Amino acid sequence: MDITSEMAYPTPLRNSPLLPLLLMTLATQRNAPRQSSSIKREYDYIVVGGGSAGSVVASRLSEEPCVNVLLLEAGGKKPPLINDIPALGRFFWLTDIDWQFKTVPQKHSAYFHTNQQVIWPSGKGLGGSSLLNAMLYVRGNKKDYDDWEAQGAEGWSYKDVFPYFLKLEDNTNPYYLKNGYHATGGPITVENPKYNPEIRGPIYESAQELGYKVLDSNAAQQTGFYDHQGSIRNGQRCSTAKAYLVPAENRTNLDIIGGAYVKKILFDGSRAVGVQFDYGNSEYNVRVRQEVIMSAGTTNTAQILMLSGIGPKKHLQKLKIPVVADLPVGNNFQDHCGFPVLFTFNSRPIKEKLQDSQNIHEYVNNRTGPLSSPEFVSAMAFLNTKGVYPREDFPNYELYFLEISKEIAKYQVGLHPLVYDFVYGPYENDPVFICVSHLLHPKSKGTVRLQSTNPYDPPLIDPNYYEDPADVEAIVKGMKTCLKIGKSKSMRKVGVKPFATIFPSFTNLLPDFILDRYLTLLAKSVVVTLSHQVGTAKMGDPRDPTTVVDPELKVKGIQGLRVVDASVMPIVPSGNTNIPTIMVAEKASDIIKDSMPCRTRYSS
């Protein structure tokens, strides 16, 4: 246990005298697997990326003793133990387990951001973005997957994917298990948060006053306020590295290599025959007998495919990259974005809650209290602009209610310092919570493109937020719902007040059409990503010119190459994307296993 290394991360607990005790108790759960000490010249399968999808695929394929698997992950360092504390997730943004990307300047939004750029977190290390996310257990809507199939992703309807949601899950809530939509025994442990913050009860009271139900949004109905669960194991983060790779680490047919920076896929004509990567101080070319599987995530998968000659022909020719396949890689880029409505309330700032010795001891002894909270998310909801309960159960905006620290507002949004000082400055030492209104069905689509042929140069990430003005409408409706709840009688009991720097008292007198214009301006000026990026290697009918992979996730026109991560999703799901990404990887693993020549021979 390296306490000095743990203290290097900018968490509120870095200087706590109780840090050694915390680390000792966290170490009872291993958060990363042992890594291999040698690399073979050839493997049956090479998985590029050890994140939310790659960890799953490498683990599942290596269940078959007749094949050997190499897992390559760019992040070389073992994640810190303190990353396992659910409340601390956001404190690892902009560290060495984050790629630390930024978008290109936005044309239609982010007016109050420095250079109109949005901070773009992406997990780097075994576990990928499941090291940085808020661990919220969300599957999306049944219609999302039926729409995938309707667009040509045959075999990916809700009835087809539902068994894989069950397969990945180990739910600890007996009440939820009774409804028929959950399961036990899977790798990902799912728990209800064991922290009851001051605002949780009043939020649900306000929601019920407005006519909403509090329910399990992963069950029969999604619309309503979700009594949320998280991918949490006994009060600690349950990343995909912990869930899938640690149990597989002793398999002799699986080599796990961290710190391997993949630069390109190697081809013989139109067949993928290996990968080139840097590891240590050397460059490696490792061959593959069966398949290369790209699981580097929506941004990095697109970058590596294009560096390898698979992408839009004109873009590759401009950079003098030999074209292996002219495919729309990097297009169809979708993300959920939103606006945070800010409130103060009667409590203590989260930094004080986290540093309180009583709260630390509560977490050590019981795995309850503020430290057990998934990034201080108190409540969440899936709602629709058409009414409290419209005829179709298909929400078009999502709300999060969560407490934040000033570091989040100051460093993790990308706000211009003058904007931060004006809006947040008067409140930076106060307890603050936000209600984030975010869009579930974006019409605007962006792109990922190469900045250069240097694989170490970050790609050009353009989510193209709000190119379609209709996208702002759902966010504005959500902002109004946030204000309704924030100003309710139940919330006033705990001293909730909107920031006067954004909502001075006269805004209460504005007619609806003026208020909508004001909220639209705010929404366009400050944009937060929810890190739900998908779509850059779109799955669907191979005859469709907008697709990159077929329903078996094979890259069109290429042999021996598949993509298995969120980049294949043709439409972003109606909710958080980590669990759907794991589902995709579970289903893809079965598809790949069914095609294994050795397994087929053994079965027959």
Side-chain angles (χ1 to χ4, degrees):
M1 186 188 303
D2 186 349
I3 293 178
T4 304
S5 174
E6 299 281 344
M7 289 174 66
Y9 289 91
T11 75
L13 299 173
R14 64 195 300 182
N15 296 315
S16 170
L18 295 172
L19 181 61
L21 174 64
L22 261 174
L23 295 175
M24 283 176 59
T25 64
L26 293 170
T28 58
Q29 290 185 32
R30 299 235 342 270
N31 68 356
R34 283 190 294 274
Q35 296 184 23
S36 305
S37 55
S38 61
I39 302 171
K40 301 177 182 69
R41 291 182 180 178
E42 191 174 50
Y43 291 83
D44 293 300
Y45 295 91
I46 298 175
V47 181
V48 178
S52 293
S55 295
V56 179
V57 175
S59 175
R60 290 303 191 190
L61 296 188
S62 63
E63 289 174 343
E64 299 297 330
C66 66
V67 300
N68 63 358
V69 180
L70 173 64
L71 174 62
L72 299 172
E73 166 55 43
K77 192 173 179 181
K78 183 178 180 290
L81 282 172
I82 204 165
N83 177 252
D84 255 22
I85 297 177
L88 299 183
R90 288 192 74 115
F91 291 97
F92 294 93
W93 287 30
L94 306 174
T95 70
D96 59 1
I97 62 170
D98 177 10
W99 282 92
Q100 302 184 38
F101 292 141
K102 285 184 181 178
T103 69
V104 300
Q106 293 300 284
K107 293 176 184 174
H108 313 286
S109 64
Y111 301 130
F112 289 170
H113 294 230
T114 301
N115 299 325
Q116 288 186 241
Q117 292 177 284
V118 180
I119 303 289
W120 197 261
S122 185
K124 187 178 185 182
L126 291 168
S129 290
S130 69
L131 301 174
L132 296 182
N133 72 341
M135 297 150 282
L136 299 169
Y137 188 79
V138 177
R139 295 174 179 167
N141 190 278
K142 300 177 183 70
K143 186 177 184 300
D144 296 326
Y145 306 104
D146 290 340
D147 286 347
W148 287 12
E149 182 166 71
Q151 280 203 7
E154 189 177 340
W156 290 84
S157 69
Y158 179 71
K159 69 176 174 57
D160 295 312
V161 303
F162 178 62
Y164 290 98
F165 282 123
L166 297 181
K167 184 178 182 180
L168 68 87
E169 178 182 317
D170 185 23
N171 205 301
T172 63
N173 185 324
Y175 176 74
Y176 279 13
L177 285 166
K178 286 177 185 175
N179 67 29
Y181 286 87
H182 296 282
T184 58
I188 298 288
T189 310
V190 182
E191 296 179 351
N192 291 77
K194 293 170 182 170
Y195 173 53
N196 191 23
E198 305 95 317
I199 55 171
R200 179 179 164 85
I203 290 168
Y204 286 139
E205 284 173 30
S206 305
Q208 288 167 327
E209 285 168 18
L210 292 172
Y212 294 108
K213 296 175 187 170
V214 179
L215 43 72
D216 172 11
S217 285
N218 293 311
Q221 178 177 299
Q222 187 187 25
T223 305
F225 275 68
Y226 172 31
D227 188 8
H228 61 286
Q229 295 190 292
S231 47
I232 300 167
R233 179 176 295 171
N234 188 26
Q236 294 180 223
R237 177 184 293 274
C238 187
S239 72
T240 53
K242 177 183 289 188
Y244 286 88
L245 294 180
V246 169
E249 66 181 1
N250 293 322
R251 293 177 191 156
T252 56
N253 65 335
L254 172 62
D255 286 341
I256 301 168
I257 305 292
Y261 198 101
V262 174
K263 298 190 290 188
K264 65 179 179 180
I265 304 159
L266 304 173
F267 292 96
D268 181 0
S270 61
R271 169 172 279 282
V273 295
V275 297
Q276 183 180 92
F277 60 94
D278 291 338
Y279 176 63
N281 297 315
S282 302
E283 180 180 271
Y284 289 74
N285 290 333
V286 175
R287 306 280 291 184
V288 71
R289 286 184 285 267
Q290 297 296 332
E291 293 184 69
V292 174
I293 298 158
M294 288 300 309
S295 297
T298 297
T299 301
N300 297 71
T301 283
Q303 180 186 22
I304 296 169
L305 287 173
M306 288 186 281
L307 286 168
S308 307
I310 298 175
K313 184 176 180 180
K314 287 183 181 176
H315 178 57
L316 300 184
Q317 287 176 335
K318 187 178 175 183
L319 292 168
K320 298 185 171 134
I321 296 173
V323 178
V324 177
D326 178 15
L327 292 171
V329 171
N331 294 354
N332 190 50
F333 188 36
Q334 300 161 55
D335 183 34
H336 292 150
C337 65
F339 179 88
V341 180
L342 293 134
F343 300 88
T344 58
F345 69 119
N346 296 336
S347 184
R348 289 189 294 163
I350 65 169
K351 217 166 184 178
E352 286 184 23
K353 291 181 179 180
L354 291 170
Q355 292 171 337
D356 185 299
S357 60
Q358 187 175 335
N359 289 339
I360 295 173
H361 280 294
E362 181 183 355
Y363 182 75
V364 166
N365 295 325
N366 305 311
R367 288 296 190 262
T368 58
L371 278 72
S372 70
S373 170
E375 294 191 7
F376 281 91
V377 175
S378 299
M380 54 194 302
F382 299 93
L383 309 177
N384 198 296
T385 53
K386 293 179 181 176
V388 174
Y389 285 104
R391 189 170 297 174
E392 184 179 35
D393 176 34
F394 194 48
N396 61 357
Y397 69 93
E398 182 176 354
L399 301 182
Y400 296 91
F401 298 83
L402 67 153
E403 297 170 63
I404 66 165
S405 67
K406 67 180 180 183
E407 286 80 7
I408 291 173
K410 196 167 192 174
Y411 304 115
Q412 296 185 2
V413 180
L415 291 178
H416 192 284
L418 290 176
V419 175
Y420 171 84
D421 289 342
F422 174 75
V423 172
Y424 205 96
Y427 301 97
E428 68 175 9
N429 295 315
D430 295 342
V432 170
F433 83 88
I434 58 175
C435 174
V436 182
S437 167
H438 87 78
L439 175 71
L440 287 176
H441 309 141
K443 291 184 170 63
S444 304
K445 294 180 182 178
T447 57
V448 173
R449 292 288 183 261
L450 297 177
Q451 182 179 167
S452 73
T453 56
N454 182 350
Y456 288 91
D457 282 345
L460 300 173
I461 301 165
D462 184 8
N464 198 23
Y465 294 132
Y466 305 144
E467 181 194 39
D468 191 318
D471 285 349
V472 190
E473 293 172 15
I475 290 177
V476 167
K477 176 66 176 174
M479 291 165 72
K480 292 170 86 170
T481 307
C482 288
L483 289 169
K484 271 185 193 174
I485 289 173
K487 293 176 180 179
S488 69
K489 189 187 294 184
S490 298
M491 296 293 267
R492 285 200 299 271
K493 291 176 192 172
V494 286
V496 172
K497 293 177 185 173
F499 272 30
T501 48
I502 312 176
F503 298 105
S505 55
F506 71 80
T507 54
N508 296 326
L509 307 173
L510 294 175
D512 232 29
F513 76 99
I514 298 284
L515 180 61
D516 282 0
R517 287 185 184 179
Y518 176 60
L519 296 179
T520 299
L521 177 63
L522 285 177
K524 288 184 174 181
S525 297
V526 178
V527 182
V528 293
T529 175
L530 279 298
S531 301
H532 299 166
Q533 302 94 19
V534 309
T536 53
K538 181 181 176 182
M539 165 177 58
D541 187 333
R543 295 167 296 183
D544 178 349
T546 70
T547 62
V548 174
V549 300
D550 67 16
E552 292 194 332
L553 308 185
K554 294 177 181 177
V555 176
K556 297 192 311 186
I558 301 292
Q559 293 176 292
L561 180 62
R562 295 191 213 229
V563 179
V564 181
D565 58 30
S567 67
V568 305
M569 298 181 187
I571 306 166
V572 63
S574 303
N576 310 57
T577 50
N578 191 57
I579 296 303
T581 299
I582 298 170
M583 174 278 290
V584 165
E586 284 278 18
K587 183 167 166 54
S589 297
D590 274 1
I591 292 171
I592 297 166
K593 282 181 174 184
D594 286 344
S595 72
M596 286 180 179
C598 61
R599 189 176 187 239
T600 305
R601 287 197 300 272
Y602 180 78
S603 300
S604 61

